[in-house]
Amino acid sequence: KAGVTQTPRYLIKTRGQQVTLSCSPISGHRSVSWYQQTPGQGLQFLFEYFSETQRNKGNFPGRFSGRQFSNSRSEMNVSTLELGDSALYLCASRADNGGTNGYTFGSGTRLTVV
Amino acid sequence: AQKITQTQPGMFVQEKEAVTLDCTYDTSDQSYGLFWYKQPSSGEMIFLIYQGSYDEQNATEGRYSLNFQKARKSANLVISASQLGDSAMYFCAMRDNTGGFKTIFGAGTRLFVKA
């Protein structure tokens, strides 16, 4: 079956612009989480969605937002981009709330802000 | 607040030997899950192994085993018979099983397997 698909793979934006990243989870997976990965901060939790509802939000400013659609696809948006937003953004999906299954991660979107 | 600590930024191991990657965690929850993930240089995160907080036996998956010591709040990953392909970043993670199933990650340990 198809894995977690993130688009685009690479993105270059200018400070002040906004960006939308997309994530298509594995078919049947209702939980989607987003992480920001940087060399200095590691993997930082952004949001978690389950059945179109945001259940958890990390400690990021309001410029970071997201949503999940009825088909479980998710988008995250970053407005007024800053240089520090340059990072690898990872999307991960899971079938259910708990259980023994770990996430399945996408390949990520590498965002560079110049 | 929940926290995951991985104190080894980098580790070296000889091919075919076993290696232990350390992970300690802090939580006030009774129900939680512990995970290990591998991130090769290609960048994609790969789920390796899971341990539930109520599991009495240590989890094993092939060459991976999780040494779970609940009282010490540690969840070390043991890789037996290391292979060159095991060279990667390894992340310990913890999921809250009661509040909202949020998963947090440690800083990671980079493992180098020497031929």
Side-chain angles (χ1 to χ4, degrees):
Chain A
K1 56 183 178 182
V4 178
T5 303
Q6 291 189 246
T7 56
R9 286 295 308 275
Y10 302 92
L11 209 47
I12 299 176
K13 290 285 189 179
T14 305
R15 272 182 302 174
Q17 287 187 312
Q18 76 162 20
V19 67
T20 299
L21 311 182
S22 179
C23 171
S24 294
I26 288 175
S27 179
H29 283 194
R30 294 187 294 166
S31 171
V32 173
S33 295
W34 288 88
Y35 289 85
Q36 181 196 66
Q37 186 175 25
T38 59
Q41 299 296 318
L43 278 147
Q44 300 289 310
F45 172 76
L46 280 157
F47 331 95
E48 192 240 346
Y49 290 91
F50 185 84
S51 294
E52 302 180 67
T53 300
Q54 186 184 89
R55 296 195 303 185
N56 282 291
K57 189 176 191 303
N59 190 25
F60 278 81
R63 301 184 296 107
F64 291 81
S65 63
R67 59 180 174 169
Q68 187 181 32
F69 302 95
S70 58
N71 61 358
S72 293
R73 189 177 72 85
S74 178
E75 288 181 347
M76 66 164 283
N77 184 277
V78 188
S79 62
T80 319
L81 284 165
E82 300 178 358
L83 296 179
D85 297 333
S86 295
L88 179 67
Y89 289 87
L90 291 168
C91 170
S93 76
R94 191 171 62 218
D96 52 18
N97 276 328
T100 64
N101 296 313
Y103 285 131
T104 300
F105 279 83
S107 298
T109 294
R110 172 81 58 189
L111 172 65
T112 302
V113 183
V114 297
Chain B
Q2 295 182 323
K3 187 178 180 182
I4 293 274
T5 303
Q6 294 180 255
T7 57
Q8 306 153 314
M11 290 276 290
F12 285 88
V13 64
Q14 196 68 40
E15 192 179 13
K16 299 180 185 177
E17 291 185 349
V19 62
T20 298
L21 306 184
D22 294 341
C23 173
T24 58
Y25 61 92
D26 191 19
T27 181
S28 56
D29 296 325
Q30 296 302 307
S31 178
Y32 50 90
L34 297 159
F35 301 79
W36 278 90
Y37 289 85
K38 172 184 178 181
Q39 188 177 40
S41 55
S42 60
E44 192 155 339
M45 297 277 283
I46 302 165
F47 164 61
L48 296 177
I49 195 167
Y50 167 84
Q51 179 86 39
S53 58
Y54 293 119
D55 295 341
E56 294 185 353
Q57 301 227 343
N58 288 339
T60 60
E61 288 288 346
R63 295 186 298 110
Y64 304 108
S65 61
L66 199 153
N67 185 359
F68 181 45
Q69 297 187 45
K70 192 170 182 177
R72 297 180 60 187
K73 293 189 174 178
S74 76
N76 299 339
L77 178 70
V78 180
I79 305 174
S80 63
S82 296
Q83 301 171 357
L84 295 178
D86 294 335
S87 294
M89 278 289 284
Y90 289 82
F91 293 94
C92 180
M94 177 169 62
R95 181 185 69 208
D96 160 21
N97 280 352
T98 53
F101 305 98
K102 169 183 169 181
T103 299
I104 60 169
F105 286 77
T109 295
R110 184 167 293 281
L111 178 66
F112 299 92
V113 180
K114 300 183 290 184

